[in-house]
Amino acid sequence: MSDHDFISGSKPIGIERGEGVSLYTADGTEYLDAGASYACTPLGHSHPVVVDAVQKQVANLTFVDSSFPVESREDAYAALVAATPDGLDSAWFCNSGTESNEAALKFARSATGNSKIIAATRSFHGRTMGSLAATWKDKYKAPYEPLAGDVEFVPYGDSDELADAVDDETAAVILEPIQGEGGINVPPAGYLETARELTDEAGVALVFDEVQTGMGRTGSMWACQNAGVTPDVLTTAKGLGNGLPIGAVAVRDWIADGAASHNATFSGGPVVTAAVHATITTLVEEGYPAHAAAMGDYLTTELEAALGDEVREIRGEGLLIGIELKRGANRVARDLAMNEQVLALPAGRTVLRLLSPLVIDESEADRLVDALHAVIAPDTDAES
Ligand SMILES: *Cc1c(COP(=O)(O)O)cnc(C)c1O
């Protein structure tokens, strides 16, 4: 970590190279990456198909603005729209997750003519002024206020409270189909369907933030497909370019038709869209969402057996897994890294989050389980 970076937390592990689920330091020590890259590499580190597409594109045409048709951008739009649920027929590329949510909230306002945004407790939508306003934690918001106004928070998962909040001033309801940063919170069955019904009746835009849940992680391409609910706006980023910085917003026609002026200089640049096209086509053709479902089931079963009573709960869908610990998650993540060479992430104070690349296989999953057993339940017999 540079001495000049006054924001990022520094981990005493210098990474030099990545391949598949593994990261390597300069001296060749291997770490199993079960989350440290924030779900940004669904195909694993430096996947050859993505590397090849990016190398060819950067050499051929690194950048031209989005008013010129470019094959890699057109291909990426086509692949994205084909991979999103039916009804989301238009899309726009931006540069990050927070920017995709900014666009979603702007589009919802222009399409409805309303301004009120309804968001959920424990949400995370990003750190620019608008997305931050819809983010729950005060720690992120308070020092930067005032933010973009008119956001009302409702308890995540509570259909009645949501019904009370939606009114004829509302532009959007924005929800993560499963909350990520907030602790891997899976809503009760029926919650997303109710959100769909309420917003349909009121003419309000339903926005699903799939920045973390998307790209096959939950066992379907998008987590909303597990619930059988299609939003009006779907936002995504993180894994979209398998590590290259890009976000996207996919929308229904009424949102596209109602959108006012909006754009970004780097929107859909040739190199990042080459990465998107390679990532989506590989994910789909190799069946990685189904693999994520199977590996998620396997990991969850093995984790239940290995950790048992030493943890409060193991929850999630596919390879989006949260382990509710009986102690602080930061300490457990540190011990995993330093003693077991396994990288995982906290999601709140007591939840350990596993977001391994979707390419993880059974032997790698076994290694992950053994490491967690060694750190979390060292005094019990390993059952795996
Ligand atoms: C990470 C994340 C964001 C913000 O994405 P950035 O690319 O960091 O701006 C937004 N929403 C969710 C659900 C996220 O997990």
Side-chain angles (χ1 to χ4, degrees):
M1 194 71 48
S2 152
D3 290 342
H4 308 291
D5 180 345
F6 71 104
I7 298 287
S8 301
S10 151
K11 294 189 182 75
I13 303 170
I15 301 297
E16 191 185 67
R17 193 170 71 77
E19 187 181 340
V21 299
S22 300
L23 289 169
Y24 298 86
T25 61
D27 71 5
T29 308
E30 188 238 0
Y31 287 81
L32 175 63
D33 184 8
S37 302
Y38 287 94
C40 290
T41 56
L43 295 175
H45 292 280
S46 301
H47 188 282
V49 174
V50 181
V51 169
D52 184 56
V54 167
Q55 282 177 335
K56 286 195 176 122
Q57 187 61 52
V58 78
N60 201 41
L61 174 67
T62 301
F63 189 74
V64 65
D65 79 69
S66 62
S67 60
F68 299 93
V70 169
E71 192 181 345
S72 73
R73 180 185 301 117
E74 312 261 306
D75 287 351
Y77 272 121
L80 177 66
V81 168
T84 52
D86 287 345
L88 300 175
D89 293 334
S90 306
W92 178 72
F93 285 122
C94 53
N95 305 288
S96 68
T98 195
E99 201 188 338
S100 68
N101 288 322
E102 292 285 336
L105 299 179
K106 285 180 70 178
F107 294 158
R109 282 185 171 180
S110 65
T112 62
N114 292 336
S115 65
K116 186 173 108 175
I117 308 293
I118 297 172
T121 56
R122 297 199 280 175
S123 61
F124 185 87
H125 298 299
R127 297 183 187 256
T128 53
M129 297 297 238
S131 304
L132 186 58
T135 289
W136 170 244
K137 252 197 200 169
D138 245 4
K139 180 179 99 173
Y140 299 145
K141 289 189 292 190
Y144 298 110
E145 281 169 351
L147 305 171
D150 225 355
V151 179
E152 180 179 340
F153 287 92
V154 294
Y156 186 70
D158 186 327
S159 295
D160 295 337
E161 294 270 1
L162 184 61
D164 285 347
V166 174
D167 59 23
D168 56 12
E169 317 269 277
T170 310
V173 172
I174 181 166
L175 297 169
E176 294 154 84
I178 298 172
Q179 291 185 324
E181 304 295 319
I184 314 299
N185 306 313
V186 183
Y191 180 62
L192 300 177
E193 290 91 323
T194 304
R196 180 66 283 178
E197 285 158 19
L198 290 168
T199 47
D200 269 341
E201 279 161 26
V204 165
L206 180 62
V207 180
F208 283 163
D209 175 347
E210 296 238 24
V211 170
Q212 189 160 160
T213 52
M215 298 300 287
R217 179 150 297 279
T218 66
S220 300
M221 196 66 184
W222 312 100
C224 65
Q225 293 171 315
N226 293 341
V229 178
T230 302
D232 300 297
V233 183
L234 183 151
T235 63
T236 192
K238 289 202 163 87
L240 181 59
N242 205 50
L244 272 81
I246 184 158
V249 191
V251 301
R252 288 188 190 269
D253 289 346
W254 72 273
I255 300 286
D257 294 343
S261 170
H262 184 78
N263 211 344
T265 302
F266 281 126
S267 171
V271 177
V272 287
T273 50
V276 169
H277 180 252
T279 303
I280 293 178
T281 50
T282 306
L283 271 176
V284 171
E285 281 166 14
E286 312 268 312
Y288 279 116
H291 181 70
M295 289 307 301
D297 284 347
Y298 178 76
L299 249 182
T300 307
T301 306
E302 296 295 309
L303 288 170
E304 295 279 4
L307 305 179
D309 293 340
E310 301 298 311
V311 299
R312 291 187 205 284
E313 191 184 22
I314 298 171
R315 57 179 182 251
E317 278 175 19
L319 288 172
L320 180 68
I321 299 173
I323 304 174
E324 180 91 50
L325 303 165
K326 293 181 177 173
R327 55 193 158 115
N330 266 323
R331 176 70 187 275
V332 169
R334 198 198 60 188
D335 289 352
L336 273 171
M338 301 318 278
N339 304 338
E340 303 294 330
Q341 288 72 53
V342 164
L343 306 177
L345 285 166
R349 215 169 47 78
T350 58
V351 178
L352 189 75
R353 174 171 33 160
L354 303 179
L355 301 169
S356 82
L358 309 190
V359 299
I360 191 170
D361 65 22
E362 275 193 17
S363 70
E364 291 157 343
D366 289 341
R367 187 177 144 210
L368 175 55
V369 174
D370 290 345
L372 284 156
H373 180 265
V375 169
I376 295 173
D379 300 327
T380 60
D381 288 339
E383 291 177 47
S384 60

